[in-house]
Amino acid sequence: MKKNAFYAQSGGVTSVINASASAVILEAKKSSKIGKVYAGKNGILGALREELIDTSKESKAFIESLKFRPGGVFGSCRYKLKSIEENLKEYERLIEVFKAHNIGYFFYNGGNDSADTALKISQISNKLGYPLQCIAIPKTVDNDLAVTDSCPGFGSVAKYVVTSTIEAALDVESMHESSTKVFILEVMGRHAGWITGASCLAQDSHPGAPHIILLPEVTFNQKKFLNKVKETVQKQGFCVIVASEGIKNSKGKFIAESDSKDAFGHSQLGGVAPRLSDLINTKLNLKNHWAVADYLQRSASHLSSGIDRAHAYEVGKKAVQFALQGLNGVMPIIKRKSSLPYKWEVVAAPLTKIANVEKKLPAGFISKDGMGMTKKARGYFQPLIEGKLPEIKNTQYKAGKMEMVTKKLHAWR
Amino acid sequence: MKKNAFYAQSGGVTSVINASASAVILEAKKSSKIGKVYAGKNGILGALREELIDTSKESKAFIESLKFRPGGVFGSCRYKLKSIEENLKEYERLIEVFKAHNIGYFFYNGGNDSADTALKISQISNKLGYPLQCIAIPKTVDNDLAVTDSCPGFGSVAKYVVTSTIEAALDVESMHESSTKVFILEVMGRHAGWITGASCLAQDSHPGAPHIILLPEVTFNQKKFLNKVKETVQKQGFCVIVASEGIKNSKGKFIAESDSKDAFGHSQLGGVAPRLSDLINTKLNLKNHWAVADYLQRSASHLSSGIDRAHAYEVGKKAVQFALQGLNGVMPIIKRKSSLPYKWEVVAAPLTKIANVEKKLPAGFISKDGMGMTKKARGYFQPLIEGKLPEIKNTQYKAGKMEMVTKKLHAWR
């Protein structure tokens, strides 16, 4: 008997998460076992509120175009379900909605929190006597999921950071004689330094930047940092720094949240780059510029990595195939078969090994002085930023129809 | 008799200034009147210090590759020559260097300061009995040169800002239900709002951002601004703001330099975006994110506008042609013949009309409430971001040979 599928996006979006959505919808269409694909409006909140988008109402061209569309087209959310003990009602509500709409497949596109949610839902659905195939689809720019070699979303942000570092470094190189000597680029990755670390690939291009890489895995040492800035400016004439938003001092406090207050007594807002800039001004008196890429880095579809997009598409496709094969409580993950040439495949991994686990940069990736990366790291990162750039004729996007399925239940809450 | 040419880059670089350099070198090569093209190492400082790069030693492939290379490949500088009355010696030194190296053509690639310098040098060279063809080649991301319809460098930064605004807006749209409600992008243009204003083109794409555009030409009104943010979030669910680094309060003070101090009593560093973010936190308590693009926007060759690159190349080529025609004290400028379809040509304009003049956004480009742009503005901006993206296979760049011409004179200073 045909069952419908539910697909939801979770947490911070990436420039390729919609490629996974596109794959789920197109692959499900091929199967006679799956009826419609309903997308949660604003992620799992859409299921709780019974706000289901009927993706079958969208044109094929629109679904195809999702491969190249940034953001989360159906809406994502930051909403973590509590444990079953704490809030059984939430889980019961989900099952009630799934039952009301004949949903037999649950695809949850997110990070390790979402893997945990998918796992819990697969467990509770069995207990409540409403069997559901639960598949988590990996997505995170942070690249911090366990078991998988890399995470869809990461390769593209890495490519953005590498490209931007090279371009800005050429700019600074040309101005340093009489103007800016130091440039700081702040990038994402609060707890793991994957994004920051990937910037090492920019060193293959002239002028060999970044000279300093500041990782959240390495305690920020102000003295060592300032010495290296000074030395680099003396030797090269200029210095380019890529810093993670999550670097911490020896007390374990985020640099971006350290002591300085504004005139009103408010703690200054985040921003590692302006702090480092202030430090360089005060202690070294070197003219510097800084950039904070923020959402630009994770939404830059125009610069997304072809390999990353292929990963994102393939995990979506395989998620449907695994569900049809009867798998449950798994995630399609990327297995690297070789780096040079880059070969990979997508296989199923149990969610129990992925849920709530955070993978940091391996020690072997970080150089001795803690401010650079090793050859091993470069070998890991390089293939992930490769592949064809998207063929976007112009960067204009259209709205979808976003037609809602008629509600059958009482309102939630 | 053959004369050599001197080419120098001046001021802040752009993602297409090297396209102009490429054009000058390749066009000069075609002429039997021009010997070698020497490039100033670090701009005009290279002439003063007699540090001349012999561009004839570079491979043709390298010179061709400059069309797509960000930064200023020969080095630029922030160095303004004083008036002839104040520092005649500097001008005499330049003429001395030009004489020593048989330089008969002076190409100065910069903004309105550089136009002024080129004009002065053309005047003094006549007085000192060493005739020189002085041609200024337009370049500035700020788009603030008089007479020319647009400035090479501007279209590319405009394209970067439009693309980034669209992409970030799709990101925020997908997260706003349970997370970020307001996103602020800070862009360049301290005195003129061309870059900021161009972001209006992003409104043609879903989701119609930016909702608020803050221009340096319009006094920042905190109350009106906060009201519009609040209203937009109420109506749309989220609000995207593009702000110029140069917005000022009613006392004429830069917002980025306003009163707040850090714990050490230092004035906080620039950054309009973090200030606006702080304001939105404090007064509206809305979760927000901000990005400061800084050098990324003006070095993003990977996203440069095809039309802009064509402009940059053509003004370089015409500069050489004008010099060979015997013109002096002129700038090749872009004349728009029609907007739809976009047609343009490059003609000569006297430097006297360009030197030291700053062109601001026309009042007719700014919407009634001062926080948006008019249809007329859109008609102006649209063609400038069009054209083919560069064909960059990978974004790695090589070093040039940068072989220096043997010095003939005593050291400068």
Side-chain angles (χ1 to χ4, degrees):
Chain A
M1 205 194 76
K2 265 194 183 181
K3 290 261 184 190
N4 296 318
F6 175 78
Y7 166 82
Q9 304 183 318
S10 177
V13 292
T14 78
S15 68
V16 296
I17 185 174
N18 290 329
S20 296
S22 181
V24 167
I25 296 167
L26 294 173
E27 190 65 17
K29 212 170 251 175
K30 289 186 199 162
S31 159
S32 57
K33 282 187 181 169
I34 302 178
K36 289 186 170 185
V37 177
Y38 297 142
K41 186 179 175 188
N42 300 313
I44 198 74
L45 288 170
L48 289 165
R49 294 170 181 165
E50 205 192 355
E51 291 179 348
L52 310 176
I53 296 162
D54 185 350
T55 67
S56 73
K57 305 290 181 177
E58 305 293 340
S59 70
K60 195 169 180 227
F62 183 77
I63 301 298
E64 293 274 1
S65 76
L66 297 184
K67 286 176 200 166
F68 304 103
R69 184 188 180 106
V73 69
F74 303 115
S76 183
C77 67
R78 295 215 179 272
Y79 185 86
K80 195 176 171 176
L81 271 75
K82 290 191 183 143
S83 70
I84 296 176
E85 295 71 37
E86 277 178 286
N87 203 343
L88 181 63
K89 283 214 166 143
E90 235 169 22
Y91 292 88
E92 287 173 340
R93 168 70 179 185
L94 285 176
I95 301 298
E96 187 188 21
V97 171
F98 292 159
K99 222 172 188 172
H101 294 277
N102 190 34
I103 288 163
Y105 306 93
F106 173 54
F107 299 106
Y108 204 28
N109 205 170
N112 48 31
D113 275 6
S114 312
D116 181 56
T117 302
L119 180 61
K120 281 181 186 144
I121 293 176
S122 94
Q123 291 162 345
I124 197 83
S125 70
N126 274 334
K127 267 195 206 163
L128 297 175
Y130 185 77
L132 199 67
Q133 315 283 140
C134 295
I135 315 276
I137 304 171
K139 168 250 50 164
T140 171
V141 293
D142 291 329
N143 204 38
D144 60 355
L145 294 184
V147 188
T148 188
D149 178 69
S150 66
C151 302
F154 170 67
S156 294
V157 75
K159 189 182 182 88
Y160 176 95
V161 170
V162 172
T163 306
S164 300
T165 302
I166 291 172
E167 291 177 337
L170 286 166
D171 188 309
V172 180
E173 185 195 29
S174 42
M175 302 301 296
H176 78 271
E177 166 71 24
S178 56
S179 183
T180 303
K181 309 270 190 231
V182 182
F183 177 73
I184 307 151
L185 172 61
E186 172 179 333
V187 301
M188 285 180 156
R190 188 153 277 254
H191 303 291
W194 297 99
I195 295 174
T196 320
S199 69
C200 71
L201 297 179
Q203 294 164 342
D204 291 336
S205 170
H206 179 82
H211 307 95
I212 299 178
I213 295 174
L214 299 177
L215 303 161
E217 283 87 353
V218 179
T219 300
F220 179 67
N221 181 321
Q222 182 172 315
K223 202 179 155 190
K224 269 176 71 184
F225 166 72
L226 289 171
N227 276 343
K228 192 156 181 184
V229 173
K230 207 172 140 187
E231 262 175 37
T232 309
V233 171
Q234 272 162 2
K235 264 191 233 165
Q236 314 275 328
F238 63 101
C239 178
V240 173
I241 301 155
V242 177
S244 155
E245 59 176 337
I247 56 169
K248 289 174 185 166
N249 65 21
S250 59
K251 289 173 193 153
K253 227 178 159 184
F254 285 120
I255 299 294
E257 285 169 6
S258 55
D259 296 331
S260 57
K261 306 229 183 225
D262 68 13
F264 309 98
H266 306 124
S267 269
Q268 278 183 40
L269 268 179
V272 158
R275 301 300 170 100
L276 295 175
S277 163
D278 197 30
L279 201 59
I280 292 165
N281 281 330
T282 318
K283 305 282 185 186
L284 302 177
N285 195 25
L286 288 171
K287 183 173 178 188
N288 60 80
H289 260 247
W290 52 270
V292 177
D294 195 62
Y295 285 170
L296 305 194
Q297 71 200 285
R298 75 177 196 194
S299 62
S301 274
H302 76 273
L303 193 55
S304 53
S305 140
I307 287 292
D308 189 35
R309 208 174 325 99
H311 284 165
Y313 196 84
E314 193 64 16
V315 294
K317 194 171 153 183
K318 277 286 178 358
V320 173
Q321 293 176 359
F322 291 160
L324 291 170
Q325 287 163 25
L327 297 188
N328 194 0
V330 298
M331 176 184 274
I333 59 111
I334 295 151
K335 194 175 153 186
R336 184 184 299 223
K337 292 160 78 182
S338 82
S339 281
L340 213 68
Y342 181 57
K343 287 184 185 169
W344 56 285
E345 63 180 342
V346 169
V347 298
L351 289 178
T352 45
K353 289 197 175 169
I354 299 162
N356 294 321
V357 180
E358 198 176 60
K359 187 170 72 180
K360 304 218 170 188
L361 272 184
F365 277 25
I366 304 171
S367 69
K368 259 190 189 164
D369 76 351
M371 292 186 273
M373 306 300 289
T374 61
K375 206 179 152 188
K376 203 176 161 188
R378 305 160 82 89
Y380 169 78
F381 288 126
Q382 187 63 52
L384 305 179
I385 68 164
E386 300 287 353
K388 265 182 98 173
L389 279 171
E391 285 160 32
I392 304 179
K393 270 173 211 128
N394 65 41
T395 37
Q396 288 188 11
Y397 300 91
K398 286 181 186 155
K401 292 195 188 104
M402 302 295 152
E403 212 174 297
M404 306 298 287
V405 177
T406 309
K407 291 190 180 185
K408 299 184 178 181
L409 302 171
H410 59 96
W412 183 59
R413 279 177 181 171
Chain B
M1 206 194 72
K2 265 195 184 182
K3 291 263 183 188
N4 297 318
F6 175 76
Y7 166 83
Q9 304 183 318
S10 176
V13 292
T14 78
S15 68
V16 296
I17 185 174
N18 290 329
S20 296
S22 181
V24 167
I25 296 167
L26 294 174
E27 191 65 17
K29 212 169 252 176
K30 290 186 198 162
S31 158
S32 56
K33 282 187 180 170
I34 303 178
K36 290 186 169 185
V37 177
Y38 297 143
K41 187 180 175 185
N42 301 313
I44 198 74
L45 288 170
L48 290 165
R49 294 170 179 164
E50 204 191 356
E51 291 178 350
L52 309 176
I53 296 162
D54 185 350
T55 67
S56 74
K57 304 290 181 178
E58 305 293 340
S59 69
K60 195 168 180 228
F62 183 77
I63 300 298
E64 292 275 2
S65 77
L66 297 185
K67 286 177 198 165
F68 304 103
R69 184 188 180 106
V73 70
F74 303 115
S76 183
C77 68
R78 294 214 180 275
Y79 186 85
K80 196 176 171 174
L81 271 75
K82 290 193 182 140
S83 69
I84 296 176
E85 295 71 36
E86 278 178 287
N87 203 344
L88 180 63
K89 284 213 165 140
E90 235 170 23
Y91 292 87
E92 287 172 341
R93 167 71 179 184
L94 285 176
I95 300 299
E96 185 189 23
V97 171
F98 291 159
K99 221 173 188 170
H101 295 277
N102 189 34
I103 287 163
Y105 306 93
F106 174 53
F107 300 106
Y108 203 29
N109 204 170
N112 48 32
D113 274 7
S114 311
D116 180 56
T117 303
L119 180 60
K120 282 180 186 145
I121 294 177
S122 93
Q123 292 162 346
I124 196 84
S125 71
N126 275 334
K127 268 195 206 164
L128 298 175
Y130 184 76
L132 198 67
Q133 315 283 140
C134 294
I135 315 277
I137 303 171
K139 168 251 48 163
T140 170
V141 293
D142 291 329
N143 204 38
D144 60 355
L145 293 184
V147 189
T148 187
D149 178 68
S150 66
C151 303
F154 169 67
S156 294
V157 75
K159 189 182 183 89
Y160 176 95
V161 170
V162 172
T163 305
S164 299
T165 302
I166 292 172
E167 291 177 336
L170 287 166
D171 189 308
V172 180
E173 184 196 28
S174 42
M175 302 301 296
H176 78 271
E177 166 71 24
S178 56
S179 183
T180 303
K181 308 270 190 233
V182 182
F183 177 73
I184 307 151
L185 172 61
E186 172 179 334
V187 301
M188 286 180 154
R190 189 154 277 256
H191 303 293
W194 296 99
I195 295 173
T196 320
S199 70
C200 72
L201 297 179
Q203 293 165 341
D204 291 336
S205 169
H206 179 82
H211 306 97
I212 299 177
I213 295 173
L214 299 177
L215 303 160
E217 283 88 352
V218 179
T219 300
F220 179 67
N221 181 321
Q222 182 172 314
K223 202 179 154 191
K224 269 175 70 182
F225 167 71
L226 289 171
N227 276 341
K228 192 157 181 183
V229 173
K230 208 172 138 186
E231 262 175 38
T232 308
V233 172
Q234 272 163 2
K235 263 192 233 164
Q236 315 275 329
F238 63 101
C239 178
V240 173
I241 300 155
V242 177
S244 155
E245 60 177 337
I247 56 170
K248 289 175 185 164
N249 65 20
S250 58
K251 289 172 193 152
K253 227 178 160 185
F254 286 120
I255 300 294
E257 285 170 5
S258 55
D259 296 331
S260 56
K261 306 226 184 231
D262 69 14
F264 309 97
H266 306 125
S267 270
Q268 277 184 41
L269 267 179
V272 158
R275 301 300 171 100
L276 295 175
S277 163
D278 196 30
L279 201 58
I280 292 165
N281 281 330
T282 318
K283 305 282 184 187
L284 301 177
N285 195 25
L286 289 170
K287 183 172 179 188
N288 61 79
H289 261 247
W290 52 269
V292 176
D294 196 61
Y295 286 169
L296 305 193
Q297 69 200 285
R298 75 177 196 193
S299 62
S301 274
H302 77 272
L303 193 56
S304 53
S305 140
I307 287 292
D308 189 35
R309 208 173 326 99
H311 284 166
Y313 196 84
E314 193 63 18
V315 295
K317 194 171 153 183
K318 279 284 178 357
V320 174
Q321 293 176 359
F322 292 160
L324 291 170
Q325 286 163 25
L327 296 189
N328 194 358
V330 298
M331 175 184 275
I333 58 112
I334 295 151
K335 194 174 153 186
R336 185 184 298 223
K337 292 159 79 182
S338 82
S339 280
L340 213 68
Y342 181 58
K343 287 184 184 166
W344 56 286
E345 62 180 344
V346 169
V347 297
L351 289 179
T352 46
K353 290 197 175 169
I354 299 163
N356 295 321
V357 180
E358 197 176 59
K359 187 168 71 179
K360 303 219 171 187
L361 272 184
F365 276 25
I366 305 172
S367 69
K368 260 190 188 162
D369 77 351
M371 291 186 273
M373 306 300 288
T374 61
K375 206 180 151 187
K376 203 176 162 187
R378 306 160 81 89
Y380 169 79
F381 288 126
Q382 187 63 52
L384 305 179
I385 68 165
E386 301 287 352
K388 266 181 98 173
L389 279 171
E391 284 159 34
I392 305 179
K393 270 173 212 128
N394 65 41
T395 37
Q396 288 188 11
Y397 301 91
K398 286 180 186 153
K401 292 194 189 107
M402 302 295 153
E403 212 175 297
M404 306 298 287
V405 177
T406 309
K407 291 190 181 186
K408 300 184 178 179
L409 302 170
H410 59 95
W412 182 60
R413 279 180 181 172

